[in-house]
Amino acid sequence: MLSAAFDLKSGQFILLALLLMTGAFYSGTFFGNNSPVYVPQFTSNSSFYSFPSASSSGPSRFTNRVALTYRKTPLLISEFGVDVCPLEFNEYIPCHNVSYINTLRSSLDLSRREELERHCPPLEKRLFCLVPPPKDYKLPIRWPTSRDYVWRSNVNHTHLAEVKGGQNWVHEMNQLWWFPGGGTHFKHGASEYIQRLGNMTTNETGDLRSAGVVQVLDVGCGVASLSAYLLPLDIQTMSFAPKDGHENQIQFALERGIAAMISAISTKQLPYPSNSFEMVHCSRCRVDWHEHDGILLKELNRLLRYNGYFVYSGPPAYRKDKDFPMIWDKLVYLTSAMCWKLIAQKVQTAIWIKQENQSCLLQNAEQNLFDVCDPEYDSGTSWNKPLRNCMILDTSKSDSQKLPPKPQRLSAYSVGFDALGSCDSTGTDSEFWDGLGLNYGWFCPATGISSLSCWKEFVKSQFLVYPSIKQERFISDMIFWQEQVSHYYRLMNVNKTDIRNVMDMNAFIGGFAVALNTFPVWVMNVVPASMNNTLSAIYDRGLIGAFHDWCEPFSTYPRTYDLLHANHLFSHYQNRGEGCLLEDIMLEMDRILRPQGFIIIRENEQITSRIRDIAPKFLWEFESHSLENEQKMMDTVLIARKKFWAIV
């Protein structure tokens, strides 16, 4: 019974909240104006539709057409604007398109669930049209109310409520979905479960924070209730799950305002840096850790920091029937070979710790209990790299130099920054200069143009002569982004509560996310895979993020971010060829941005001029501003806003 999920007091609170929400919805307050500007869809090939104008009572006419349009080479945008995809493509995810992946099944390793990973279609098979919202889409409910309630019409799928309602994942409530906070192994609520994990990791003396947990990787996260209820402990969680039979679980999580992305642990490294999490969590996550000689456990070992925990809640940890004892014995053998120690086993959960025990690792390697990885396996970025069945042995990544706790970690200068890059003080290493220079578009203040040689000379005068991020540069970066965030919110003219899901598309060392730390937001820090690995340093600051190549679509549902920040992103992808064009990246921005969401673009004048020309064809409104950059020169800053439109 639903009533068993909460007591009388909480039930009264929920009823009161529902009354408030219902009244606010019909009065157009509390959650904002939920009415889109409707656009009629005509049956002719030149399907025109129109929008009410903010400055007039009648409709303003737009010429974008509703048409299923594929990416063509060369890319030309019609004078009518970018076409709008038909309504049935409202959940289009290019690299997780089941129809396309089904055509590849004969070439995929189904025994390792390779079909759940990213598979991007060739350019000519990608849609090039604006993804429409579904029927009756409403502007999302604001945080923190959205943790517990989202609009039913925004994620109109009933499968999870039908099969997981008894575990209190999600329940239907009239126009809303309600999330009681349950999960497969914590149907009575995530709070109780989290406290139990704290007891198990501290021998009944504390909680997960006192156990040293700052960042968690939640594998097969469901609707991400664990992440939601870890937030009061100031624990950041990167939640992921595949697009599988648990229909739209990641879409639910993001609609709630919780950090999550589509991903699968299968045949490639996960897009996160090594040694980044104090805890990896799996609650009935549908991953066969014991198979294939523990290759997936070795990937977790790569991601876990020393003295980090693997929390495993599943039948092998407590059941003695079927094949579960055999699976458990394999898990014990594999984890022992990796020098993990089983520290607790209680109720339905087992917890291992990744020990800082180099002598054990060396001894087990000598006994051929596992293969040792080549050094290059752990170099560069973890993007599109095939998994290897080996262990990384690197004593330099020991946690002997401990990171400070949060919030001090956000502003602490760690050894990770000093270790960035690989060149000497002469600045001759091309990889370093390419990564850093492209990050800033090679812009040279002395001449006002892009120039490699001028850029190098200028950087040498700004504490950037070394490949590492020197402390002076680190401090100036923090101060700069604090100022810029203040300017951004003033120019956007929004309340802090209007924005929840944020993505920094070219995050560098995470300064933008640190500046937002006191705001009610979470930030997905994306480091382009073609740049230096600064994501490790971002994780050392207690932040989360992922590697990505913006020549491909991101692994998320449409309409999942309120704010996209692109600091010299387009200049990095200049001259990268088809699929990486400015228009391709703008189309992906539009897909993942919520209606009435914001895009902030900092670029050189040549690029911003081009964006200003074509932004209206994407149905974006924009304003152009000038803000001072770190070199005390003026940057062009475009603030664009996606219109709220719908097909009718």
Side-chain angles (χ1 to χ4, degrees):
M1 292 289 291
L2 182 62
S3 58
F6 52 90
D7 58 22
L8 179 60
K9 184 177 180 180
S10 61
Q12 291 172 338
F13 172 79
I14 289 165
L15 291 173
L16 176 61
L18 284 171
L19 287 171
L20 285 171
M21 285 190 291
T22 303
F25 169 64
Y26 286 111
S27 64
T29 61
F30 195 62
F31 301 129
N33 181 6
N34 279 286
S35 299
V37 283
Y38 290 106
V39 296
Q41 179 179 353
F42 296 99
T43 56
S44 67
N45 290 332
S46 58
S47 305
F48 294 100
Y49 47 87
S50 56
F51 296 76
S53 169
S55 59
S56 67
S57 57
S60 296
R61 194 151 183 84
F62 288 81
T63 57
N64 302 65
R65 301 172 298 185
V66 179
L68 187 61
T69 308
Y70 288 88
R71 175 65 159 80
K72 295 180 180 178
T73 302
L75 176 60
L76 297 173
I77 296 180
S78 164
E79 62 180 311
F80 301 117
V82 180
D83 290 341
V84 172
C85 306
L87 188 59
E88 58 265 32
F89 291 89
N90 68 84
E91 290 182 358
Y92 177 60
I93 311 171
C95 298
H96 298 272
N97 186 332
V98 175
S99 297
Y100 173 70
I101 293 172
N102 283 338
T103 67
L104 307 176
R105 288 181 72 88
S106 61
S107 62
L108 302 177
D109 188 344
L110 303 183
S111 69
R112 295 179 61 185
R113 306 304 306 275
E114 191 178 1
E115 74 276 10
L116 298 178
E117 293 184 317
R118 287 173 56 88
H119 297 282
C120 300
L123 206 56
E124 66 274 10
K125 293 187 177 181
R126 294 185 201 173
L127 296 184
F128 196 90
C129 47
L130 305 178
V131 175
K135 182 182 178 181
D136 297 328
Y137 179 85
K138 302 175 180 64
L139 293 181
I141 294 170
R142 294 174 185 165
W143 183 267
T145 310
S146 64
R147 187 197 74 169
D148 301 327
Y149 304 98
V150 304
W151 295 117
R152 189 182 187 281
S153 57
N154 288 10
V155 190
N156 197 10
H157 296 275
T158 61
H159 178 71
L160 273 184
E162 292 166 358
V163 301
K164 296 295 185 180
Q167 297 168 358
N168 286 320
W169 282 34
V170 58
H171 294 289
E172 184 179 352
M173 278 191 166
N174 298 317
Q175 295 189 65
L176 301 167
W177 290 117
W178 172 47
F179 301 88
T184 302
H185 284 277
F186 44 95
K187 66 179 182 180
H188 297 299
S191 296
E192 176 190 73
Y193 178 71
I194 290 167
Q195 184 56 56
R196 189 196 321 149
L197 299 184
N199 292 338
M200 293 172 71
T201 52
T202 62
N203 197 23
E204 309 292 331
T205 62
D207 58 19
L208 288 175
R209 273 304 299 273
S210 61
V213 176
V214 175
Q215 288 144 303
V216 173
L217 181 67
D218 193 7
V219 181
C221 62
V223 294
S225 286
L226 179 78
S227 174
Y229 285 85
L230 283 170
L231 288 174
L233 292 176
D234 197 19
I235 292 175
Q236 292 285 315
T237 305
M238 173 57 72
S239 299
F240 78 85
K243 190 174 185 293
D244 61 4
H246 283 168
E247 193 175 70
N248 299 76
Q249 52 191 327
I250 294 300
Q251 189 177 20
F252 276 118
L254 288 160
E255 186 72 14
R256 297 174 72 186
I258 302 169
M261 65 182 291
I262 303 170
S263 192
I265 182 166
S266 177
T267 70
K268 294 184 176 67
Q269 286 185 354
L270 290 169
Y272 317 118
S274 301
N275 305 289
S276 294
F277 300 96
E278 288 87 11
M279 187 174 106
V280 175
H281 175 259
C282 162
S283 173
R284 198 77 71 94
C285 62
R286 295 163 55 134
V287 175
D288 293 326
W289 303 109
H290 63 290
E291 296 287 8
H292 306 288
D293 197 29
I295 189 172
L296 301 183
L297 284 173
K298 294 180 178 71
E299 172 65 354
L300 295 192
N301 187 78
R302 180 184 73 82
L303 296 167
L304 269 175
R305 301 186 195 274
Y306 282 113
N307 300 312
Y309 305 99
F310 175 46
V311 176
Y312 177 70
S313 296
Y318 63 93
R319 287 179 58 173
K320 306 300 181 185
D321 59 333
K322 300 182 178 179
D323 292 334
F324 297 128
M326 178 271 293
I327 295 172
W328 175 255
D329 289 343
K330 282 189 175 182
L331 287 173
V332 170
Y333 171 78
L334 292 165
T335 53
S336 298
M338 297 191 304
C339 299
W340 291 9
K341 181 181 179 182
L342 181 64
I343 62 169
Q345 192 173 1
K346 182 178 179 181
V347 190
Q348 299 177 343
T349 301
I351 300 180
W352 285 267
I353 188 170
K354 176 184 173 180
Q355 298 182 100
E356 190 173 354
N357 190 340
Q358 293 298 321
S359 62
C360 172
L361 289 170
L362 292 172
Q363 180 180 344
N364 288 359
E366 289 176 1
Q367 295 176 4
N368 295 318
L369 296 182
F370 58 79
D371 293 329
V372 177
C373 299
D374 296 330
E376 65 268 17
Y377 183 61
D378 195 33
S379 63
T381 58
S382 306
W383 175 253
N384 216 23
K385 276 189 180 179
L387 286 181
R388 297 184 193 170
N389 202 350
C390 59
M391 291 275 288
I392 298 167
L393 298 185
D394 188 352
T395 56
S396 67
K397 293 182 178 176
S398 164
D399 251 10
S400 56
Q401 299 155 321
K402 288 215 175 272
L403 295 167
K406 285 186 72 178
Q408 293 89 338
R409 189 180 292 192
L410 291 166
S411 55
Y413 180 80
S414 70
V415 293
F417 292 99
D418 197 53
L420 286 173
S422 60
C423 70
D424 59 23
S425 60
T426 62
T428 57
D429 185 275
S430 60
E431 182 181 354
F432 167 66
W433 289 109
D434 287 347
L436 191 60
L438 285 169
N439 194 40
Y440 285 89
W442 302 114
F443 180 78
C444 181
T447 62
I449 62 174
S450 294
S451 166
L452 171 58
S453 58
C454 182
W455 163 259
K456 287 185 180 181
E457 291 302 315
F458 175 73
V459 168
K460 289 178 183 179
S461 69
Q462 297 292 319
F463 304 106
L464 292 175
V465 60
Y466 297 102
S468 55
I469 305 298
K470 293 303 179 186
Q471 192 159 6
E472 296 91 340
R473 174 72 173 87
F474 176 79
I475 293 170
S476 68
D477 184 81
M478 280 197 302
I479 295 171
F480 173 75
W481 286 114
Q482 291 283 351
E483 295 171 347
Q484 299 310 298
V485 164
S486 176
H487 291 316
Y488 288 167
Y489 273 75
R490 172 178 56 82
L491 295 173
M492 289 188 294
N493 192 27
V494 293
N495 297 318
K496 288 184 177 181
T497 56
D498 290 341
I499 292 173
R500 173 62 185 171
N501 299 356
V502 178
M503 177 184 283
D504 193 353
M505 300 175 71
N506 186 16
F508 192 36
I509 58 172
F512 177 66
V514 170
L516 286 168
N517 181 57
T518 59
F519 289 62
V521 305
W522 67 271
V523 182
M524 176 71 80
N525 292 281
V526 177
V527 171
S530 49
M531 289 188 177
N532 283 352
N533 175 16
T534 57
L535 194 57
S536 293
I538 287 172
Y539 270 87
D540 282 351
R541 301 183 82 169
L543 305 169
I544 59 173
F547 295 111
H548 184 65
D549 181 359
W550 288 111
C551 295
E552 299 178 0
F554 195 75
S555 289
T556 193
Y557 280 82
R559 302 172 300 279
T560 50
Y561 286 92
D562 301 297
L563 171 61
L564 303 177
H565 183 242
N567 181 36
H568 295 279
L569 175 74
F570 292 97
S571 51
H572 175 70
Y573 283 96
Q574 269 187 314
N575 305 316
R576 293 295 181 98
E578 293 293 335
C580 313
L581 302 183
L582 180 146
E583 293 88 347
D584 293 307
I585 298 174
M586 289 179 67
L587 183 74
E588 178 61 4
M589 286 175 152
D590 187 85
R591 187 185 72 86
I592 68 178
L593 190 66
R594 288 171 166 172
Q596 292 194 2
F598 289 90
I599 301 172
I600 300 175
I601 299 170
R602 300 180 81 110
E603 276 294 353
N604 60 57
E605 180 57 32
Q606 178 186 9
I607 291 176
T608 53
S609 176
R610 173 64 179 151
I611 293 173
R612 283 194 295 266
D613 288 343
I614 64 175
K617 296 188 176 185
F618 285 84
L619 300 176
W620 296 358
E621 299 172 318
F622 68 88
E623 294 179 351
S624 185
H625 303 274
S626 293
L627 292 176
E628 198 174 72
N629 61 26
E630 289 178 276
Q631 291 78 43
K632 307 302 180 184
M633 305 292 290
M634 299 309 293
D635 257 353
T636 300
V637 178
L638 290 183
I639 296 186
R641 194 170 196 184
K642 178 179 175 178
K643 294 177 181 290
F644 185 9
W645 52 267
I647 298 173
V648 293

